[in-house]
Amino acid sequence: MQLELLWNYMQVDMEAERFEAEMRNSPNRQQLIKQRDFLRDQQANMARIEEDVAGMLDRLEAVRDEAARLETLLAAEKEEIEKNPPKTMEEVEEKMASLQKLVDSLQHYEQELKKTQKDAQTRDRQQKEVRIRAARTKAEFDELKKQYDAEFKRDSEKLSALRAEAEKEAKKVDPALIARYRQIKQHVNPPIAKLVNNQCGGCFMSLPSAILKKLAAGDTTVECDNCGRILYLAEE
């Protein structure tokens, strides 16, 4: 009698678990999670882009300052040559080498300046694209969230009713048997299996005759030696 009551309790308990799993796997919920994760990724992208842009602006300022310094040096060097022209070939070569070094450095910084400006423009464009995608997804997320909230409220009420029914059935069973049921359930689910053709209906292993005799006697709770489930011999 107690095993029959426990079996009835398990049916309601399993139905509640199945419904709770359906709630977790709801298409609306899965889509919300996907959109939430996407928005988080976009926020991270925005933070990285903003950090990159800030670094580029700092570098841009430093490059401009260095380019301006080199232009000043180059102008001063040319002015010095005009005022004091070199007198020997060695002095000419020395001055030309100095000028060329300044020119090369200036060209290098001008190229870096162009590249940094181009990279900054690219990052700015990426930032705008990320904002647009994020805004579109946020609008979709908000609309879907309204639908899901209504769905969740309805399903939560049904789940609460199933849980209440399960608790009602549990009160009909010996508390010690309920405790054993829940202990087994932590390792294997469902925790009760019917006897089917002298086999455990959970793991489908054949049962020894000693176990079958105990089941037939019906005077004790019998568990499968292989999977640990409580065995239930339903009345014909």
Side-chain angles (χ1 to χ4, degrees), residues 56-73:
M56 287 177 186
L57 291 175
D58 289 342
R59 181 58 182 166
L60 198 59
E61 186 176 351
V63 170
R64 282 173 176 162
D65 289 344
E66 183 61 18
R69 188 185 71 84
L70 288 172
E71 286 176 349
T72 301
L73 287 176

Side-chain angles (χ1 to χ4, degrees), residues 180 184 188 191-195 198-208 211 215 221-232:
R180 182 58 185 154
I184 293 172
V188 62
I192 307 178
K194 281 186 176 181
L195 181 68
N198 294 335
Q199 293 179 333
C200 169
C203 65
F204 303 104
M205 293 294 291
S206 295
L207 299 170
I211 295 291
L215 276 171
T221 301
V222 182
E223 297 175 9
C224 174
D225 288 339
N226 182 61
C227 67
R229 287 181 172 89
I230 296 172
L231 293 170
Y232 174 51

Side-chain angles (χ1 to χ4, degrees), residues 20-33 148 151 155:
E20 189 173 16
E22 288 177 9
M23 288 178 64
R24 287 194 299 271
N25 294 319
S26 157
N28 281 345
R29 182 173 185 271
Q30 295 303 313
Q31 184 63 21
L32 275 177
I33 292 173
Y148 175 70
E151 172 188 300
D155 290 348

Side-chain angles (χ1 to χ4, degrees), residues 81-229:
I81 292 174
E82 290 175 358
K83 288 181 179 179
N84 301 297
K87 297 180 175 58
T88 65
M89 183 57 67
E90 184 178 357
E91 289 179 348
V92 170
E93 291 176 352
E94 184 180 340
K95 290 294 183 181
M96 290 297 294
S98 178
L99 284 173
Q100 189 60 49
K101 184 177 179 180
L102 287 173
V103 169
D104 291 344
S105 297
L106 184 58
Q107 288 177 343
H108 167 76
Y109 280 104
E110 285 176 344
Q111 290 173 358
E112 185 174 352
L113 185 62
K114 290 179 181 178
K115 182 180 182 302
T116 304
Q117 288 173 329
K118 185 177 179 180
D119 290 343
Q121 290 171 353
T122 299
R123 289 292 188 277
D124 184 59
R125 185 174 63 254
Q126 290 173 343
Q127 195 174 47
K128 290 178 182 176
E129 291 172 354
V130 168
R131 284 200 183 102
I132 291 171
R133 287 197 301 268
R136 184 167 54 245
T137 301
K138 182 63 167 59
E140 294 173 357
F141 178 89
D142 290 342
E143 180 60 31
L144 187 59
K145 183 71 163 55
K146 292 178 184 176
Q147 299 175 27
Y148 175 70
D149 286 344
E151 172 188 300
F152 182 78
K153 183 177 183 296
R154 181 186 68 248
D155 290 348
S156 293
E157 291 172 355
K158 180 178 178 179
L159 181 61
S160 294
L162 288 171
R163 289 298 186 200
E165 185 180 351
E167 286 304 311
K168 182 179 178 181
E169 292 296 324
K171 290 177 180 178
K172 300 176 184 178
V173 186
D174 183 345
L177 194 54
I178 287 289
R180 182 58 185 154
Y181 167 94
R182 289 171 178 166
Q183 185 179 18
I184 293 172
K185 189 178 176 182
Q186 294 177 5
H187 307 286
V188 62
N189 203 20
I192 307 178
K194 281 186 176 181
L195 181 68
V196 181
N197 297 326
N198 294 335
Q199 293 179 333
C200 169
C203 65
F204 303 104
M205 293 294 291
S206 295
L207 299 170
S209 57
I211 295 291
L212 295 175
K213 287 179 181 179
K214 285 183 180 181
L215 276 171
D219 57 354
T220 184
T221 301
V222 182
E223 297 175 9
C224 174
D225 288 339
N226 182 61
C227 67
R229 287 181 172 89

